[in-house]
Amino acid sequence: MTNVREIIIKLKEVREEKGLSYNDILDLLEENGDYLSKSTLSRVFADGSENNTFNYDISIRPIAKALLDIENIEETDDL
């Protein structure tokens, strides 16, 4: 994934597939030592949010770290 728009779309897919509530995601963030407000989380997952601007490091990366496991590079991952 190369841009924030694609990551947000993938996050929405994963949330839907796993049936995660905002509280579930907030719990996963906390387990990773990250924090986001519920309002930020709801903005990220709002309809059409992939077309909005978000600060990747502050808003998107913690969610992607929790839901997409982006922090762990596997041997099969392209560098």
Side-chain angles (χ1 to χ4, degrees), residues 31-64:
E31 288 174 19
N32 287 336
D34 293 318
Y35 172 80
L36 278 180
S37 68
K38 198 170 193 175
S39 63
T40 298
L41 199 59
S42 67
R43 283 194 305 272
V44 170
F45 286 102
D47 288 340
S49 64
E50 62 273 7
N51 298 315
N52 295 339
T53 302
F54 291 96
N55 181 304
Y56 176 79
D57 288 322
I58 294 172
S59 300
I60 305 303
R61 185 173 184 223
I63 304 168

Side-chain angles (χ1 to χ4, degrees), residues 64-76:
K65 182 176 154 186
L67 299 185
L68 305 178
D69 197 29
I70 62 165
E71 298 295 307
N72 296 319
I73 298 175
E74 298 175 4
E75 291 181 22
T76 58

Side-chain angles (χ1 to χ4, degrees), residues 21-39:
S21 69
Y22 291 156
N23 287 332
D24 294 333
I25 296 169
L26 291 172
D27 288 343
L28 291 170
L29 290 170
E30 187 177 321
E31 288 174 19
N32 287 336
D34 293 318
Y35 172 80
L36 278 180
S37 68
K38 198 170 193 175
S39 63

